[in-house]
Structure formats: C-alpha cells, structure tokens
C-alpha cells in the first residue's frame, strides 16, 4: 500500500520470465511513465500488460462513477479522458451493480460493499494506492480513497502465487484481467489475457494468471472480472488492444482508467523510505527531526494523510506540484471542495484530482491560475518558491506592500513576487535558502515539507505561531535553507503575466489581493494603524523571546501593524484559526 524520501528514480526493471513465455515480447512506451507489453506464448496465449510508474508526472487514476455504469471500456476511456483503461470488477448482469466495494471519482457506489470473498485496489487523489486482501474486510473506505475496484480471488501475495481452491472457474482457462502492485507500491501492473480463441489464445487459470503477474514484478495481485468482460484500451496503441471473447466489447459495470497524456517529466519521482527513530504518525519522520511537529500538525489538521497509506509515510523531501499545493492549502484553510458543473480552468476538468479544492480556492479569491487566456491552472507544473510565497500570502489574506528593509540579495527590486517574499520574511514565515549571502532561491522547487512548514507558520496551525525560534541556524527548514538543497528551476509560467504566478493586482486571490474590504474576508478594511495590535505597532515576539523579526511595514510606510492583526484579535473571517504570537 502506498503514496508519492525524494529520490530521482529510474525504474530499471528486471523481469524473469519462464521459457514458455518468451515466444515474443514487444514493449513500447506510449506515454511517459507507462510501458505497454504485447506478448505471445507457445501455450498459446496472447497477453497484454501495462506497467505504470505512479510517481511519473501527470500520471493519475480514475474509475467509473455510479451514474456511468454499463459502459464499454473504450467509451469509458474516451469519456473520462483516460489514455489506458481496463474492465473492472464482477457485477450483477441485470443492473450492473458491482460485487465488492466500488468507488469512482470519490463517489461510493451505494449498492456495493466489502466482504470476506473480495479484495480491492484503491487509489487516492495524491496517488496513494492500496491493494486490500479479501480477509481484511472494511466497513467503509478510508478518507483518502478516491477510486476503488473490487475483485477476487487474490492471486499473488508476498511475490508468490496464491493457490486457490478450484471453485468459480478458478482452475479453468478463460480470458482474464488482473491488477497488481510491486514491492515498492510505486509500480502498478495491469494485465489481460485473451481466451476462448482456438489455436491463438486459450486463456489462463487464476494460478497461471498469478504466475504471469509475478513474472511482471507483482508483490500482490488481484483477479478482476474476466471472460467476455476482459478488455484493455490503450489510446496510444490504437484503442482496444486485445480481442474480447464475445467478438466485440462488452458493456460492463465499472472500469479502471489511467490518465497519462499530460506527463512530461520523470525528474521528481520519489519512494517512501522508513527512517530509524520514527515512532509517530509517519514512518519516515524521525522523532528528533526538525519537521516532526510540522508533519504531525499537518496530519492532525487534516491537511495530508501522507504519501503512503500503509505503513503511513509523509515523503518530506518529495517535490510538490501546483495541484497538490492547492489541495494542501484548501485543507489548511478549512475550505470544502466545490463541484461546479462547469470547470473554471480548462486544464482542471470536472472530477479530476484536486478539482474541488482548486475550485474552492478560486471561488474564495485565493488563486486565479497560471494563465488567463486560455484560463488555466497548470496543475502538474512544479511549484517554485516564488509562486509558493504568493500563495502563502494569499492564504494569510494580505496584499504586501513595498518592503522598507529588503533582505534577499537574489530577489530583484522589480520581481513580481518581491513584496510577498519580503513580507513572509518580516512575518517570520520564511528565512531564505542561504544566510550568507542572504538569498531566497525563488526558482527552486518546493517540497512537501517546505510548503507544509510555510502553511503551519503562516496560519499558526496546531501549536505553531508565526515566530521562528532563534536557534542559530537562520533557516526555516532546519537544514541551512528553506529548500533542502534543491537546484531545480521554476516553470516559465511562474515568471509573470496575468495570473497567480506574477504581475497584476488581484491576480493571486482576486478580492483578497486587491485591498480594502475584502482583504480580511469579514468586511473589515485594511489595518494600518500602529496601536491596533497593542504591542509596539505590530512587532512579533515569541514566548521564548527568540524571534527577532522586525515590524511589518504597512501601506503608509514605516513601522505599522500587520493588517492581519485585527482579524486575529477579533477571530473573524477566514483567518480565525490563527493566533497572535
């Protein structure tokens, strides 16, 4: 079971195939992160398999919503925008009701449920994935689960073929469909075997199918609906690649789809890695790590469930894209996902991962996208530190003004993000990527822990206030910098234009960025008078006396109160979860 330590990953996979399987193998790579195999064997059998790097940029999953039951696999793929699709689980042929726990795009099929005869594979919005065995019956899906397909029997466990009793045709050769995961949980394996095709493909027993999945690298695998339902669709290979035994595609209850057409880059794939001394929520966050409290707070506040479900991992060093940064931010702000019938951003379609959160952020005036014509959000582009600063100030409900005492030597005076970056430094949210010289590294990519750290400090979540301890390190991530050494560069769309990535008033949060009545979300105008906080015109002092931040300049210049102070004092509007230092 899993989700997305940041490792640049090359999946150089070694397969050990049986001699009979090597009649003919043809591999292709129709999409980044996706490999397609067409195999003929001497039995004879015709096999089609897809291996998916779940870490690859732009790769995500989808499954059939209850209202769309009874579609052909190719029709499902085309309607949902999937580049790869297979038929799903078993079902009642009279009404297409699935047998076993089933969910599509966050919608639980009301006529489905888990049982001791069925397992399931579940996927989350952040590419979490879990393959549950039949014996592990659950009463309801976990909160992170977004797409679920049920099946039976379990055919591979711990990398070994499961020998099932000869019931329900398990020991007969038929067309088959299977889904599996490798030992890392990062490689998804989909396979179909044609059958009932005399002299060409005889089909497989579930044990033979299990051996195929082991050969393909599966640590655990599950049999799905087969027979005439068995279908695999790969758009980049011409559509339906196998030969359904009915002579044409069968309409089936549900389907599993893979969206991979937007993948462009492998560079930011990471694998969860357990760490010694981690006894808290996450197995890769040691108790003595500087970010332990950050990770625990993000989990407790419902911002993230981690990057892997079991054992639970946080993946602190994994790079963050704009889609998942938006998910983090919406959850941190307590916004409920929205489901408008018409998508605001053409590259974040209805039902896609993060759709509800991005729509909620836009409706509340926090984000406005990376492009206005066409209206786009650029969800799969990596989030750099410049844009992260703009998003964080938007979350804080402020529109920063010209800094009186700028500190960062690598932030140009005319940079569109300058006021945001300098404001966050004044507010003790960030301290830069280097102390000598004082630099911010605006083009570097933000990791999960870095953006999380910014959020908990800016919004003073959990036990955090927005004053940094004076620990002598001078950084906001405990490792000498904000960024942990990332040397990745930002994306072109983050460098200007009418969007939340640069340039114009209101482009980051609409009303929230434009000043005046909307800045604090509760109808209160900007606060720029020194006495409103009651402590030296807005100076922030930590309980330990360790934070030596200067006062935040206000609209009128000089030392004035942070306009946020009044909101914090009154506890009103969208910022009422923060406290003063």
């Amino acid at each position: 079971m899993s989700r997305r330590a940041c490792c640049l990953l090359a999946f150089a996979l070694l397969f050990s195939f049986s001699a009979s399987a090597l009649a003919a193998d043809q591999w292709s790579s129709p999409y980044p992160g996706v490999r397609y195999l067409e195999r003929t064997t001497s039995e004879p059998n015709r096999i089609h398999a897809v291996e998916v790097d779940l870490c690859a940029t732009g790769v995500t999953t989808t499954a059939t919503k209850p209202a769309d039951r009874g579609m052909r696999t190719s029709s499902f793929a085309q309607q949902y925008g999937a580049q790869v699709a297979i038929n799903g689980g078993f079902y009642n042929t009279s009404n297409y009701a699935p047998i076993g726990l089933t969910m599509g795009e966050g919608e639980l099929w009301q006529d489905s449920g888990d049982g001791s005869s069925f397992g399931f594979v579940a996927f989350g919005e952040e590419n979490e994935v879990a393959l549950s065995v039949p014996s592990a019956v659950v009463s309801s899906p976990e909160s992170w689960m977004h797409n679920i397909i049920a099946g039976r029997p379990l055919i591979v466990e711990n990398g070994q073929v499961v020998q099932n009793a000869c019931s329900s045709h398990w020991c007969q050769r038929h067309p088959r469909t299977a889904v599996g995961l490798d030992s890392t949980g990062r490689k998804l394996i989909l396979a179909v075997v044609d059958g009932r095709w005399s002299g060409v493909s005889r089909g497989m027993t579930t044990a033979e199918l299990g051996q195929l999945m082991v050969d393909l690298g599966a640590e655990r695998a599950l049999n799905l609906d087969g027979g005439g339902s068995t279908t695999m669709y790969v758009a980049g290979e011409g559509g339906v690649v196998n030969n359904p035994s009915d002579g044409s595609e069968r309409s089936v209850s549900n389907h599993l789809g893979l969206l991979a057409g937007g993948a462009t880059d492998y560079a930011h794939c990471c694998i969860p890695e357990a760490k010694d001394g981690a006894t808290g929520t996450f197995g890769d966050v040691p108790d003595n790590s500087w970010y332990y409290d950050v990770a625990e707070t993000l989990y407790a506040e419902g911002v993230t469930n981690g990057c892997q479900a079991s054992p639970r991992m946080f993946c602190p060093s994994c790079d963050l894209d704009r889609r998942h940064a938006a998910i983090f931010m919406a959850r941190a702000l307590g916004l409920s996902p929205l489901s408008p019938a018409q998508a605001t951003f053409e590259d974040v379609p209805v039902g896609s991962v993060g759709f509800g959160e991005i729509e909620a952020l836009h409706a509340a005036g926090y984000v406005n996208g990376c492009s206005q014509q066409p209206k786009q959000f650029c969800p799969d582009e990596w989030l750099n530190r410049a844009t992260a600063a703009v998003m964080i100030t938007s979350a804080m409900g402020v529109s920063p003004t010209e800094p009186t005492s700028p500190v960062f030597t690598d932030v140009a005076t005319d940079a569109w993000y300058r006021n945001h970056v300098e404001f966050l430094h004044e507010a003790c949210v960030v301290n830069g990527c280097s102390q000598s010289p004082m630099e911010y590294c605006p083009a570097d990519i933000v990791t999960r822990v870095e953006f999380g750290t910014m959020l908990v400090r800016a919004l003073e979540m959990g036990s955090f206030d927005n004053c940094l301890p004076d620990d002598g390190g001078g950084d906001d991530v405990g490792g000498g910098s904000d960024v942990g050494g990332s040397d990745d560069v930002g994306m072109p769309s983050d460098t200007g234009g009418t969007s939340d990535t640069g340039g114009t008033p209101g482009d980051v949060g609409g009303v929230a960025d434009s000043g005046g009545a909307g800045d604090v979300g509760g109808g209160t105008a900007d606060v720029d008078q020194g006495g409103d906080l009651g402590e030296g015109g807005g100076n922030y002092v930590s309980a330990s006396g360790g934070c030596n931040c200067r006062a935040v300049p206000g609209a009128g210049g000089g030392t004035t109160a942070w306009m946020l102070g009044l909101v914090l004092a009154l506890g009103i509007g969208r910022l009422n979860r923060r406290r003063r230092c």
Side-chain angles (χ1 to χ4, degrees):
M1 300 181 180
S2 68
R3 222 190 257 214
R4 19 189 205 192
C6 181
C7 304
L8 297 182
L9 200 61
F11 276 99
L13 302 168
L14 300 177
F15 297 101
S16 55
F17 301 126
S18 63
S20 63
L22 296 178
D25 277 9
Q26 296 181 9
W27 284 96
S28 62
S29 299
Y31 306 101
V34 178
R35 299 180 71 212
Y36 165 65
L37 168 67
E38 182 177 1
R39 169 183 295 175
T40 59
T41 70
S42 57
E43 281 84 3
N45 270 316
R46 287 196 175 178
I47 298 162
H48 302 268
V50 170
E51 69 173 38
V52 183
D53 173 5
L54 291 174
C55 291
T57 304
V59 169
T60 189
T61 60
T62 186
T64 314
K65 297 178 182 179
D68 293 330
R69 66 182 67 198
M71 299 175 67
R72 293 184 175 185
T73 302
S74 60
S75 300
F76 158 79
Q78 292 159 9
Q79 178 171 319
Y80 281 65
Q83 283 68 48
V84 177
I86 58 171
N87 64 287
F90 295 90
Y91 61 94
N92 186 323
T93 57
S94 65
N95 60 3
Y96 294 110
I99 303 174
L101 190 64
T102 306
M103 176 182 284
E105 290 301 321
E107 297 182 18
L108 180 66
W109 290 53
Q110 296 304 311
D111 43 7
S112 76
D114 197 20
S116 59
S117 298
F118 284 83
F120 62 83
V121 60
F123 301 89
E125 293 183 286
E126 295 182 35
N127 269 13
E128 309 97 321
V129 58
L131 202 161
S132 179
V133 300
S135 59
V137 179
V138 301
S139 58
S140 62
E142 293 185 39
S143 60
W144 62 267
M145 295 177 179
H146 195 68
N147 295 302
I148 301 175
I149 300 293
R152 66 172 181 178
L154 186 71
I155 55 176
V156 177
E157 178 70 319
N158 298 320
Q160 302 293 320
V161 176
V162 176
Q163 300 297 330
N164 291 287
C166 290
S167 61
S168 300
H169 310 292
W170 302 152
C171 294
Q172 299 174 12
R173 293 190 173 100
H174 293 286
R176 301 284 182 185
T177 304
V179 59
L181 295 171
D182 75 345
S183 59
T184 70
R186 301 281 22 122
K187 186 178 77 171
L188 174 69
I189 303 163
L190 309 175
V192 300
V193 182
D194 283 328
R196 304 171 184 169
W197 192 359
S198 180
V200 179
S201 191
R202 66 183 185 180
M204 289 185 173
T205 66
T206 57
E208 291 170 340
L209 183 66
Q211 185 59 56
L212 169 66
M213 296 300 284
V214 169
D215 291 344
L216 292 173
E219 178 75 7
R220 179 179 285 179
L222 189 67
N223 179 62
L224 302 181
D225 188 18
S229 298
T230 288
T231 309
M232 176 178 284
Y233 174 94
V234 182
E237 298 293 332
V240 175
V241 294
N242 72 310
N243 286 274
S245 63
D246 287 353
S248 61
E249 282 188 81
R250 177 184 291 181
S251 296
V252 298
S253 171
N254 58 92
H255 320 76
L256 176 63
L258 178 73
L259 282 68
T264 58
D265 182 13
Y266 283 97
H268 300 273
C269 190
C270 64
I271 294 294
E273 182 179 357
K275 302 292 186 181
D276 293 337
T279 64
T281 300
F282 301 105
D284 57 351
V285 179
D287 298 3
N288 63 355
S289 61
W290 65 265
Y291 50 85
Y292 176 83
D293 288 340
V294 171
E296 291 292 331
T297 297
L298 292 172
Y299 180 75
E301 295 282 337
V303 175
T304 181
N305 283 317
C307 65
Q308 175 173 290
S310 180
R312 195 173 299 281
M313 300 289 186
F314 181 68
C315 299
S317 299
C318 285
D319 293 327
L320 196 66
D321 60 25
R322 289 168 55 85
R323 182 194 308 273
H324 291 92
I327 293 172
F328 271 38
M329 184 168 156
R331 292 173 178 172
L333 290 166
L335 299 179
S336 298
L338 299 181
S339 300
Q342 181 69 36
T344 300
F345 302 102
E346 67 175 33
D347 56 352
V348 186
V350 174
S352 62
V353 173
F355 169 74
E357 288 83 359
I358 292 169
E359 291 288 343
L361 288 172
H362 179 264
Y366 289 108
V367 300
N368 210 31
C370 65
S371 168
Q372 299 307 302
Q373 292 184 351
K375 188 75 169 177
Q376 294 182 334
F377 188 76
C378 303
D380 298 318
E381 291 186 358
W382 300 108
L383 180 70
N384 65 25
R385 288 171 53 80
T387 306
V390 176
M391 291 182 70
I392 293 296
T393 55
S394 176
M396 296 171 74
V398 298
S399 183
T401 57
E402 184 75 16
T404 56
S405 301
V407 298
F408 294 114
T409 61
D410 61 343
V411 177
T413 57
D414 60 349
W416 54 266
Y417 51 86
R418 178 181 185 240
N419 293 355
H420 301 269
V421 170
E422 295 290 352
F423 173 85
L424 291 180
H425 178 260
E426 294 281 1
C428 300
V429 175
V430 302
N431 238 20
C433 63
S434 170
Q435 302 305 300
S436 182
M438 192 70 171
E439 294 181 337
Y440 182 71
C441 302
D444 282 3
I445 305 302
V446 174
T447 65
R448 287 168 58 88
V449 72
E450 290 158 14
F451 193 70
T453 300
M454 292 180 184
L455 280 174
V456 297
R457 286 177 177 166
L459 302 183
E460 297 191 14
M461 300 167 64
S463 62
F464 283 81
D465 57 36
N466 70 338
C467 289
L468 299 176
D470 187 5
D471 59 5
D475 56 74
D476 46 288
V477 299
S481 68
D482 283 352
V483 299
S486 172
D487 58 3
D488 298 303
V489 298
M491 56 282 193
S493 58
D494 274 348
T495 57
T498 55
S499 65
D500 59 332
T501 58
T504 59
D507 56 343
V508 187
V511 175
D513 261 3
S514 60
D519 274 344
V520 294
T524 305
D526 291 353
V527 179
D528 60 1
Q529 299 171 358
D532 284 329
L533 290 181
E535 291 185 314
N539 284 314
Y540 279 70
V541 181
S542 70
S544 63
C547 181
N548 58 1
C549 292
R550 296 177 295 280
V552 179
T559 301
T560 60
W562 189 10
M563 72 178 186
L564 197 53
L566 181 59
V567 185
L568 303 181
L570 298 177
I572 61 176
R574 67 191 182 195
L575 304 173
N576 61 7
R577 61 189 298 153
R578 277 181 282 141
R579 312 179 316 280
R580 279 183 48 229
C581 178

